[in-house]
Amino acid sequence: MGDAEHGRLKRKEYEKELAKLHVELVKLQEWVKQQRAKICIVFEGRDGAGKGGTIKAITERVSPRVFRVVALPAPTDREKSQMYAQRYLVHLPAAGEVVIFDRSWYNRVERVMGFCTEEEAQRFLEVTPRVEHAMVESGIVLLKYWLEVNEKEQTRRLTQRIEDGRKIWKLSPMDLQSYSRWYDYSRARDAMFAATDLPYAPWYVARSDDKRACAPEPDPPPAFADSL
């Protein structure tokens, strides 16, 4: 399917497949309402990995009364003093809701740019599995996706944000500073996977370099949990 030589869907093919997926999301929405399910979806990834675009594609054909997006601003001084996940807990789904986090409590592991100390990051990684276990025990279906983008594609996307006035709002001074810390972020990501990829709340890695690529299903979660 698609351009076999390049392994990509043509634009019309891509839009046709996307329409089919939107139908499945509408079916999911009705199931969530009928079953009074509680679904929590976390999207994490590097700057430019495509979190916003993925969330937009998921939500553009469903009801905002069922699918709710949470994208919190930087924490206040008061919020910084709270327990790591506290300001996110009030946004967790009630029965019949799907809540999508555009970045989540995992922001607290942002030690690469100095937003927390190594000690605070380690404490977060120790506590988070217990917090997520409590979520799952309460009946929440917790789905965690890491969108993985390669270095070349991240460069292209950040450059596009600079050159396209419609996207300049997506670019912050922090993006430019963090861009040069690729390998530091890779190590922080791996430590996060090792501590928080668990049987009841696994991570799923989705390659996001090319949304029209003829790709397989998202990679299974890394097998770090067995070593804990």
Side-chain angles (χ1 to χ4, degrees):
M1 184 163 51
D3 187 336
E5 181 181 355
H6 298 94
R8 300 183 80 235
L9 293 173
K10 294 179 181 179
R11 172 62 65 179
K12 288 185 178 180
E13 292 173 320
Y14 169 76
E15 292 176 352
K16 182 178 179 181
E17 293 302 314
L18 185 60
K20 292 179 182 178
L21 293 174
H22 281 147
V23 171
E24 295 304 313
L25 283 168
V26 171
K27 292 178 182 178
L28 172 66
Q29 174 177 272
E30 296 309 303
W31 178 86
V32 167
K33 290 193 296 184
Q34 291 176 11
Q35 298 296 318
R36 294 182 57 79
K38 298 182 288 185
I39 312 294
C40 179
I41 306 174
V42 169
F43 281 105
E44 293 287 347
R46 302 174 192 270
D47 295 322
K51 296 178 292 296
T54 300
I55 293 170
K56 180 180 178 181
I58 291 172
T59 58
E60 64 182 348
R61 298 292 182 178
V62 293
S63 170
R65 289 185 291 276
V66 178
F67 281 75
R68 181 160 50 87
V69 178
V70 177
L72 299 184
T76 63
D77 289 340
R78 180 178 182 276
E79 288 171 331
K80 289 177 183 178
S81 71
Q82 296 173 345
M83 71 170 283
Y84 298 132
Q86 186 170 338
R87 73 180 187 134
Y88 295 93
L89 296 179
V90 296
H91 298 283
L92 292 177
E97 291 183 344
V98 179
V99 173
I100 301 174
F101 283 96
D102 183 352
R103 293 199 181 275
S104 65
W105 46 93
Y106 283 97
N107 269 356
R108 196 59 181 256
V109 196
E110 177 52 279
R111 61 186 184 274
V112 175
M113 299 303 296
F115 290 112
C116 71
T117 65
E118 288 293 327
E119 182 180 358
E120 288 171 332
Q122 186 58 43
R123 178 60 179 162
F124 170 87
L125 294 176
E126 292 172 357
V127 169
T128 295
R130 299 199 290 273
V131 173
E132 292 183 354
H133 187 265
M135 293 180 191
V136 174
E137 284 290 298
S138 75
I140 292 173
V141 176
L142 178 58
L143 302 171
K144 302 185 301 190
Y145 288 94
W146 176 270
L147 301 188
E148 184 64 29
V149 63
N150 66 42
E151 194 169 6
K152 180 178 178 181
E153 179 62 16
Q154 185 193 44
T155 299
R156 188 192 71 79
R157 292 177 184 179
L158 292 179
T159 300
Q160 190 179 52
R161 290 180 182 181
I162 295 172
E163 296 174 348
D164 189 339
R166 297 169 300 176
K167 297 182 178 181
I168 195 68
W169 63 271
K170 294 183 177 182
L171 191 68
S172 71
M174 192 58 61
D175 292 334
L176 301 178
Q177 293 179 45
S178 65
Y179 171 69
S180 63
R181 310 292 294 275
W182 179 272
Y183 295 104
D184 292 332
Y185 274 107
S186 295
R187 285 189 287 270
R189 174 204 60 197
D190 292 346
M192 180 187 75
F193 284 160
T196 62
D197 173 45
L198 300 158
Y200 51 84
W203 280 99
Y204 295 93
V205 179
R207 307 292 169 180
S208 61
D209 298 319
D210 185 353
K211 64 184 179 182
R212 288 166 56 192
C214 301
E217 295 297 316
D219 293 346
F224 289 118
D226 292 341
S227 64
L228 296 181

